[in-house]
Amino acid sequence: MTMNSELSAAAVESEAVPRKSRKNNPEKTRENILQEAIVEFVQQGLSGARVDAIAERIHTSKRMIYYYFGSKEQLYAEVLEKLYGDIRSTENRLHLDELPPELAIRRLVEFTFDHHDHNVDFVRIVSIENIHNAEYVKRSDAIKALNNTILDTLGGILQRGADEGLFRRGIDALDVHLLISSFCFYRVSNRHTLGEIFQIDLPDETIKQRHREMICESVLRYLKA
C-alpha cells in the first residue's frame, strides 16, 4: 500500500470511527476485517453473508470495508487467500527438509491433523468454496502458488526417502498430499454426521490421538508398500 493510499485509508477510518477509539492503522484494520469476515462467511456462507454484519462486529462502516476490499466477493477471495496462506506459511516453519524422511512425513501428518482439528473455520470455508465449484480459487494465482509449495516439499521428502531405501520410488507428491488431506479433512468436515450415525465422539482426546497415529501409520505404510 502506498503512502497516499494509507493516508486515504486513515481518512476513511477517521470518518467511520471516533478518533479517540482507534489509532489509524490500515494493516490492523484489514486484519480485523478479514478475521470477522471469516466468522460471517462460515456462519452464513458466501450468498448469505452481509457486509454490514461484518462492519457491526468491528464497529466500523460498510464504506470502510468496501474501501479495502471493493466488494463482498473480493473480501471472500482474500479470506480464502489468508486461510490457505496461514496453513502453508506454518508448514514452512516446520523445516521438513531438515528432518529425516520418515520423521518429516510424520511431522507433516501430525501438523495437518492438528491444524484441521483446531481450525474448523478453514475446513468450512474450503467446503463452501467447493459448493461454488472453486470459482474464486480459479481466479487466484496466489492460492495456486501457495499450494504448490507443499508439493515441492513433499517431492523432496519422497526423493530423499527413496534414495535412502526407506520409501518406494515413483510415488507422486500430489497423491500423498491428497491421502493426508483426505484423512484429516473428512473427519472434521463430517464430524457431526459421523458422530450421530456411528455414535462416536470425534472431538474426544483419546479418539483424536488414536486417529492421529492411525493416519501417520497408514501414510507411512503406503510409502513403503
Side-chain angles (χ1 to χ4, degrees):
M1 185 177 292
T2 65
M3 179 64 71
N4 286 339
S5 61
E6 288 183 1
L7 291 174
S8 299
V12 174
E13 187 173 357
S14 178
E15 180 179 314
V17 183
R19 183 171 297 177
K20 66 179 180 179
S21 66
R22 181 186 303 175
K23 295 181 180 179
N24 294 330
N25 187 334
E27 290 306 316
K28 186 175 187 299
T29 301
R30 278 181 59 86
E31 181 64 22
N32 289 342
I33 293 170
L34 284 170
Q35 290 294 346
E36 293 303 330
I38 291 171
V39 175
E40 180 71 8
F41 287 126
V42 164
Q43 292 180 353
Q44 307 298 334
L46 175 57
S47 301
R50 295 165 50 243
V51 173
D52 51 1
I54 299 169
E56 288 171 10
R57 283 194 179 97
I58 54 176
H59 308 292
T60 189
S61 66
K62 289 173 66 174
R63 181 183 174 190
M64 169 68 74
I65 295 174
Y66 286 131
Y67 175 85
Y68 280 103
F69 297 98
S71 66
K72 181 176 79 170
E73 290 72 21
Q74 182 59 34
L75 176 56
Y76 170 76
E78 294 207 31
V79 161
L80 281 171
E81 291 182 0
K82 171 180 170 51
L83 292 174
Y84 275 110
D86 286 348
I87 185 172
R88 298 286 90 95
S89 64
T90 308
E91 279 172 349
N92 289 337
R93 293 197 293 272
L94 297 175
H95 301 293
L96 298 174
D97 56 339
E98 300 173 10
L99 300 176
E102 287 193 34
L103 180 57
I105 290 294
R106 183 174 290 275
R107 189 69 53 80
L108 178 61
V109 172
E110 291 172 345
F111 164 75
T112 306
F113 184 97
D114 292 343
H115 176 275
H116 289 7
D117 185 69
H118 298 154
N119 295 275
V120 178
D121 288 351
F122 171 79
V123 174
R124 289 176 177 168
I125 290 286
V126 172
S127 297
I128 289 168
E129 179 61 3
N130 274 282
I131 291 172
H132 292 277
N133 300 312
E135 177 182 350
Y136 293 89
V137 167
K138 290 174 186 175
R139 303 177 189 178
S140 175
D141 292 335
I143 290 176
K144 294 169 189 172
L146 283 167
N147 285 280
N148 281 335
T149 62
I150 187 56
L151 298 186
D152 294 338
T153 299
L154 261 174
I157 297 170
L158 296 176
Q159 184 63 54
R160 288 191 291 117
D163 291 344
E164 295 176 25
L166 300 171
F167 303 154
R168 57 193 172 89
R169 294 192 180 276
I171 301 174
D172 190 287
L174 179 57
D175 291 344
V176 179
H177 177 61
L178 289 175
L179 180 61
I180 295 171
S181 295
S182 61
F183 270 125
C184 298
F185 191 95
Y186 184 81
R187 69 175 301 282
V188 177
S189 66
N190 291 50
R191 65 170 51 173
H192 298 295
T193 50
L194 287 172
E196 288 301 320
I197 292 169
F198 298 108
Q199 290 298 291
I200 182 173
D201 183 14
L202 287 171
D204 178 80
E205 286 299 324
T206 302
I207 294 173
K208 281 198 297 187
Q209 290 305 313
R210 188 175 79 236
H211 287 172
R212 194 170 183 256
E213 182 60 24
M214 178 196 73
I215 295 169
C216 286
E217 294 302 321
S218 297
V219 173
L220 287 170
R221 278 199 300 271
Y222 171 74
L223 299 180
K224 297 176 182 181

